Amino acid sequence: MTIFVSRLLNRANPPSRAVGLQRRLEPLAVRQPLVYRGLVTLFALAGYLLLLLFPLIALGLLSDLPRQWQIASTWQEWLWSGLNLLIILFALALSTPLLFNRFALPKGLEIHRQNAPKLFQLVEQLRQDFKYPVLDQIILREGFGVEVIRTPRPGLPLLHQHTLVIGLDSLLTLPPAHFKSVLARRIGQLSGIHNRYVGWLTALCQTWQHYHQAFKQQKSPLARPLQWLFAIYAPFYAALAFYAVRQNELEADRYALDIANDDEIASLFSQLIVTETFLKTRFWPKITQLARRESQPEHRPYASMVQVLRRGLNRTEMQEWIKDAFNTPSDVKDPAPLLQQRLDNIGHHKPASPQPIRETAADTFLDPTVKQKIIDKFDQRWLAKLK
């Protein structure tokens, strides 16, 4: 979720307004969280009102139209009734885009049960632990991280399709226990066992952006008013709900605690920082640079990722990255909680050491043949993008 919200905030126009709003809201969110959540709730409900704006206008005028016709006796009164009828028809026409919305599903390599039974068994186990309905699909993408994307069904945002999106970098580099905890965080968030209210406020960040994109993709001019309204509303709501998203991420750590002890979760925090930092600042820049120098690039990043990570990490750098993350001041650009906040949330006051990478989640939850096919496919895609 934090990945989705970060992208949405980065597209806010201009981004400085979103940052300014978040800075002004921080004291309220920290000192009076109930008031802050009440404010976010009001604007969350405003999204439903925007969707129903034109149908409600048509319904309100239509309910009064028979009375107007009964009492109309002058041409001015009949003219007013005629104008009301035209407004009703226009409002109904502007309501039709709700019926023709088509929401794009997340793109990636879809994984099927027969190809990855152990991975599906893990997801099924966590789903049962948190008493959540079945996820509709699992896809692999480039990148680091795991998220669940809620795609609305056509019409009003009452039903959704849930897609578990797994970054291949995470599957290839995280130890099995840590990968399981990361999955537990996301599936637990969907269940809302600990705090369904904050989870709902957070999920609407995705929902309203989906509606904006759906209205934007419609070619009919009738969709333009709703497109313009949600072009303003969706990024504004994401900025407003920034601290609700952060609170929801802290709640997600509590779901991880349901399946692992606090020492393991503290180690997970450090593992995520070290691995993501190495991939972002060392691995991907270096391998991209080497590949661009060659006329026919032969480097295969996904095939070599784990070996490079094992050889490239050293204790001094890891401690430095963890220390920097622990001492980072409040950040209003990224809704992910700070390391110090996450540790305090689970009752720890100092960062833990990451685990050595002996076996990865891909080794445990994927068949070797399937794993190799996936790696080959992603390597081929990566090389094709360089050409």
Side-chain angles (χ1 to χ4, degrees):
M1 175 63 74
T2 53
I3 299 172
F4 188 95
V5 175
S6 296
R7 292 173 185 160
L8 181 54
L9 289 174
N10 289 336
R11 288 198 291 264
N13 187 22
S16 58
R17 290 185 181 177
V19 173
L21 175 61
Q22 288 151 207
R23 290 191 188 280
R24 289 193 293 272
L25 286 172
E26 186 172 15
L28 181 65
V30 173
R31 297 170 190 168
Q32 295 180 295
L34 291 179
V35 175
Y36 167 74
R37 290 179 192 177
L39 177 65
V40 177
T41 301
L42 289 176
F43 280 92
L45 295 175
Y48 293 95
L49 182 61
L50 288 178
L51 289 177
L52 294 172
L53 177 62
F54 298 118
L56 287 175
I57 290 174
L59 186 62
L61 293 177
L62 186 61
S63 64
D64 191 51
L65 196 60
R67 184 192 64 82
Q68 294 181 16
W69 286 347
Q70 287 179 354
I71 65 173
S73 57
T74 65
W75 69 268
Q76 292 95 337
E77 291 174 339
W78 282 108
L79 177 61
W80 178 248
S81 297
L83 288 175
N84 279 345
L85 180 60
L86 288 176
I87 294 173
I88 290 169
L89 294 175
F90 186 58
L92 289 174
L94 292 178
S95 303
T96 57
L98 281 172
L99 304 176
F100 297 102
N101 267 342
R102 294 297 178 266
F103 300 98
L105 292 172
K107 296 181 180 180
L109 178 64
E110 185 171 2
I111 304 298
H112 300 282
R113 183 180 295 274
Q114 61 268 29
N115 296 328
K118 292 181 181 178
L119 178 60
F120 273 79
Q121 184 179 358
L122 172 63
V123 172
E124 178 67 15
Q125 174 193 338
L126 293 172
R127 186 194 66 78
Q128 292 180 1
D129 289 344
F130 294 112
K131 299 178 177 59
Y132 193 78
V134 178
L135 290 162
D136 296 287
Q137 64 174 347
I138 300 175
I139 64 172
L140 288 179
R141 271 185 183 174
E142 299 173 348
F144 190 83
V146 174
E147 60 180 329
V148 175
I149 296 181
R150 290 161 42 99
T151 306
R153 306 281 187 180
L156 296 176
L158 302 176
L159 299 175
H160 297 80
Q161 179 163 333
H162 297 96
T163 304
L164 176 62
V165 181
I166 300 174
L168 183 57
D169 298 22
S170 300
L171 194 61
L172 291 175
T173 59
L174 289 180
H178 284 173
F179 180 76
K180 181 179 179 180
S181 295
V182 170
L183 283 182
R185 295 181 75 256
R186 294 305 177 209
I187 296 175
Q189 278 182 319
L190 282 176
S191 71
I193 293 174
H194 295 319
N195 198 328
R196 190 180 300 273
Y197 174 50
V198 172
W200 170 68
L201 294 177
T202 300
L204 285 177
C205 293
Q206 282 188 10
T207 300
W208 302 140
Q209 180 61 15
H210 279 305
Y211 273 91
H212 172 223
Q213 291 301 323
F215 290 133
K216 188 176 180 180
Q217 290 170 4
Q218 290 193 40
K219 297 180 180 180
S220 170
L222 294 175
R224 294 294 178 267
L226 285 170
Q227 176 194 329
W228 294 331
L229 287 171
F230 275 86
I232 298 171
Y233 172 73
F236 174 79
Y237 179 79
L240 187 71
F242 180 89
Y243 295 102
V245 174
R246 181 169 287 180
Q247 179 61 40
N248 197 43
E249 286 300 299
L250 292 174
E251 295 288 347
D253 291 337
R254 294 177 58 197
Y255 294 113
L257 283 174
D258 289 344
I259 66 160
N261 63 51
D262 55 332
D263 291 331
E264 291 173 334
I265 301 305
S267 176
L268 167 65
F269 297 159
S270 298
Q271 191 92 37
L272 294 174
I273 291 167
V274 167
T275 306
E276 188 170 13
T277 303
F278 179 85
L279 293 175
K280 185 177 180 180
T281 63
R282 298 283 195 276
F283 180 78
W284 285 113
K286 183 66 175 178
I287 203 166
T288 303
Q289 184 183 35
L290 291 173
R292 292 190 185 281
R293 288 178 182 176
E294 301 171 351
S295 57
Q296 293 183 338
E298 297 181 357
H299 287 82
R300 301 179 62 218
Y302 292 99
S304 61
M305 183 178 291
V306 178
Q307 289 79 5
V308 174
L309 184 65
R310 285 170 176 156
R311 293 196 305 265
L313 286 175
N314 63 76
R315 183 165 296 277
T316 302
E317 274 191 332
M318 289 193 295
Q319 290 176 344
E320 182 180 340
W321 291 336
I322 294 170
K323 181 180 178 182
D324 288 345
F326 185 76
N327 294 325
T328 298
S330 180
D331 185 3
V332 294
K333 296 181 180 179
D334 186 355
L338 304 175
L339 176 58
Q340 190 170 0
Q341 292 175 321
R342 299 183 75 176
L343 289 169
D344 289 341
N345 188 48
I346 64 170
H348 276 241
H349 304 293
K350 292 183 180 180
S353 298
Q355 293 181 2
I357 305 173
R358 296 188 178 92
E359 185 180 20
T360 69
D363 297 330
T364 302
F365 301 115
L366 293 179
D367 178 81
T369 304
V370 173
K371 172 189 167 184
Q372 191 58 52
K373 288 181 179 179
I374 290 172
I375 288 175
D376 290 342
K377 185 179 287 290
F378 275 79
D379 278 334
Q380 291 168 6
R381 288 180 179 178
W382 184 80
L383 289 171
K385 289 180 181 179
L386 292 178
K387 296 179 182 180

